[in-house]
């Protein structure tokens, strides 16, 4: 079944120690989910996860820090704020749309 194969790819992706292998497997899973409208939620969540990992990789490349990949969205925003990357925290906010309460609680904790 399509969902089983895609779910297996997602599981394999998170067992991969190399982030680029993880992106590749998540990309394959995304394509499988997109092939069946019944799995549109799965596709959307996989797509969001891919975007987050790519955003985190960009942050690591930009800053030279290795504190972003494998973190949650709010942990990523927190790290941005503590490193003085307020523009990137706002970009994450508008791209991934965390709740206002969660965003501002994270922002307050960073000070």
């Amino acid at each position: 079944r399509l969902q089983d194969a895609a779910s297996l790819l997602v599981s394999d992706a998170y067992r991969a120690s190399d982030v680029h292998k993880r992106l590749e497997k998540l990309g394959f899973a995304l394509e499988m989910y997109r092939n069946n409208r019944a799995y549109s939620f799965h596709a959307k969540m996989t797509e969001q996860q891919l975007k987050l990992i790519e955003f985190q990789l960009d942050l690591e490349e930009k800053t030279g820090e290795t504190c972003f990949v494998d973190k949650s969205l709010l942990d990523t925003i927190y790290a941005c704020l503590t490193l003085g990357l307020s523009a990137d925290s706002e970009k994450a906010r508008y791209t991934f749309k965390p709740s206002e309460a969660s965003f501002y609680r994270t922002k307050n904790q960073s000070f």
Side-chain angles (χ1 to χ4, degrees):
R1 281 184 31 206
L2 179 69
Q3 182 188 8
D4 293 338
S7 295
L8 243 148
L9 279 170
V10 170
S11 294
D12 285 348
Y14 283 100
R15 282 194 290 268
S17 58
D18 179 48
V19 71
H20 298 289
K21 292 272 188 209
R22 185 177 309 151
L23 286 171
E24 181 182 4
K25 290 180 182 196
L26 286 173
F28 290 143
L30 176 60
E31 291 309 312
M32 290 178 139
Y33 286 136
R34 282 183 176 162
N35 285 331
N36 188 330
R37 296 183 82 205
Y39 300 110
S40 61
F41 175 78
H42 295 77
K44 183 68 174 167
M45 293 301 101
T46 304
E47 181 179 20
Q48 288 294 309
Q49 188 61 39
L50 277 166
K51 284 181 183 178
L52 178 60
I53 294 170
E54 290 168 352
F55 180 72
Q56 292 169 331
L57 283 171
D58 288 345
L59 287 170
E60 287 191 355
E61 188 176 305
K62 176 181 175 179
T63 64
E65 300 285 339
T66 57
C67 62
F68 295 102
V69 173
D70 291 331
K71 302 290 185 197
S72 69
L73 171 60
L74 292 175
D75 287 343
T76 300
I77 291 171
Y78 179 84
C80 285
L81 291 166
T82 58
L83 292 171
L85 304 170
S86 59
D88 290 308
S89 71
E90 289 295 326
K91 181 178 178 185
R93 176 183 175 202
Y94 290 109
T95 301
F96 300 103
K97 299 176 179 52
S99 72
E100 292 290 314
S102 295
F103 178 78
Y104 285 110
R105 182 175 53 247
T106 301
K107 190 170 184 173
N108 287 336
Q109 287 172 348
S110 73
F111 293 118

